[in-house]
Amino acid sequence: MLPVKQDLFVAVLFISLLVTIMGLVVVSAVISYKKKQDAYLHQLKLMKEDYDKQLMWSQIEMQEEAFAHLGQELHDDIGQLLSSTKLLINVTQRSMPEIPDTLQIAEDTLSTAIQHLRALSKSFSRQWLDQFSLIENLKAEVERINSSRAIKVTFTHELMVLPLQAEPQIILFRIIQEAMQNCIKHARPQVIDISIRAADQQLILLIADDGSGFDKAGMSSIGMGIRNMQHRTSLLGGTIRWEVTTAGGTAVLITLPLE
């Protein structure tokens, strides 16, 4: 009887060991499959992000090409028409013994319009895009808006030159332009403050106004302008958010990595 019991014990032990090994093999296979699935999903995510970035870059390149063409048309067509009109006014002024104040005001206004048009067409040119400096062009944009005397824009910055290539600086400039246009169009502010600084390997940009503010709860129904700002910021690997200031206005905070 003893050998039979020993054989039974050995058989049970063997079966238990076999079941344990099979269980370990199954668990190992499940874990391996899960890791492969996670790796596959992660690769899909990276591919989608890369595709989205390439698509966004293509869209931006097409937009900048359109801007360059528009700038050339402004300079060659409308600019020439305004210059010809100014020349005719000057000819008329020389033939008059006394120049009326209204005509002089018209001539001054036309000169200002020509200057603004030249600055605007220059901001769309290919040469301007290839040698782009956010700081210098933002200063010019602020000066252009302030010349209207309808709104006051201030710009402060700690950096004289941003540690970014020309293309990211162009994208950031378009984001700032969109933010200011949204502010002027919807919030009707009197003052817009723009500041740029660097901290902890990040570029921090703030655009704040004293306008009527916005409905933060209604940000889900965003328009194309805000959506473009979000996409462009995401393309730069940064974040963007909207906050209500203590004065009731709107603050747009953009943070970009500087690696």
Side-chain angles (χ1 to χ4, degrees):
M1 294 297 293
L2 186 59
V4 174
K5 290 184 177 179
Q6 288 180 343
D7 292 343
L8 182 60
F9 175 76
V10 172
V12 171
L13 183 62
F14 177 76
I15 294 174
S16 300
L17 183 61
L18 183 62
V19 170
T20 302
I21 294 174
M22 291 179 61
L24 292 175
V25 170
V26 171
V27 171
S28 177
V30 171
I31 293 176
S32 177
Y33 173 78
K34 180 62 176 175
K35 287 183 177 180
K36 290 181 180 180
Q37 185 183 43
D38 290 343
Y40 174 72
L41 293 176
H42 180 66
Q43 186 67 23
L44 282 181
K45 181 181 178 182
L46 292 179
M47 291 174 62
K48 183 179 184 302
E49 291 177 352
D50 184 63
Y51 172 78
D52 291 341
K53 286 186 177 182
Q54 292 187 25
L55 180 62
M56 191 64 184
W57 275 114
S58 299
Q59 292 174 344
I60 290 174
E61 288 176 358
M62 292 175 61
Q63 289 176 355
E64 298 304 337
E65 288 292 340
F67 285 150
H69 178 71
L70 176 60
Q72 192 66 35
E73 289 295 322
L74 288 174
H75 180 272
D76 295 343
D77 187 8
I78 301 178
Q80 293 298 329
L81 290 175
L82 293 178
S83 297
S84 299
T85 304
K86 185 175 183 298
L87 179 61
L88 292 175
I89 291 178
N90 291 335
V91 171
T92 302
Q93 287 176 336
R94 286 195 295 268
S95 65
M96 299 176 66
E98 184 177 353
I99 301 175
D101 292 340
T102 54
L103 186 60
Q104 184 61 50
I105 293 173
E107 197 269 339
D108 293 340
T109 303
L110 187 58
S111 298
T112 302
I114 292 174
Q115 292 177 2
H116 289 180
L117 183 65
R118 287 174 178 171
L120 187 60
S121 62
K122 180 182 177 182
S123 70
F124 290 153
S125 69
R126 173 53 56 186
Q127 183 180 8
W128 175 84
L129 296 175
D130 293 338
Q131 302 175 354
F132 189 83
S133 168
L134 174 65
I135 300 297
E136 295 302 320
N137 286 280
L138 193 51
K139 287 180 180 178
E141 184 75 1
V142 169
E143 183 178 352
R144 184 180 69 84
I145 296 176
N146 285 337
S147 64
S148 66
R149 294 184 174 84
I151 186 173
K152 175 66 176 178
V153 182
T154 64
F155 175 41
T156 58
H157 56 95
E158 298 177 353
L159 303 173
M160 295 304 298
V161 178
L162 296 185
L164 296 173
Q165 297 294 328
E167 290 84 357
Q169 292 195 52
I170 294 172
I171 295 175
L172 188 55
F173 181 69
R174 298 303 184 202
I175 296 173
I176 297 171
Q177 281 184 316
E178 189 76 49
M180 288 195 295
Q181 290 302 317
N182 286 342
C183 172
I184 294 173
K185 181 178 179 180
H186 300 291
R188 298 179 299 277
Q190 295 182 347
V191 178
I192 299 177
D193 294 321
I194 305 172
S195 65
I196 298 178
R197 63 185 179 89
D200 300 327
Q201 292 298 309
Q202 289 185 323
L203 187 69
I204 302 173
L205 191 146
L206 181 66
I207 308 163
D209 65 71
D210 62 347
S212 57
F214 73 105
D215 180 14
K216 192 173 182 180
M219 285 291 287
S220 57
S221 57
I222 56 178
M224 184 61 68
I226 291 180
R227 189 174 294 111
N228 283 337
M229 293 169 64
Q230 292 175 329
H231 286 176
R232 290 172 185 264
T233 305
S234 176
L235 185 64
L236 297 176
T239 61
I240 181 172
R241 70 174 189 264
W242 285 258
E243 298 291 344
V244 178
T245 66
T246 55
T250 303
V252 182
L253 180 63
I254 302 170
T255 305
L256 303 179
L258 286 180
E259 290 81 4

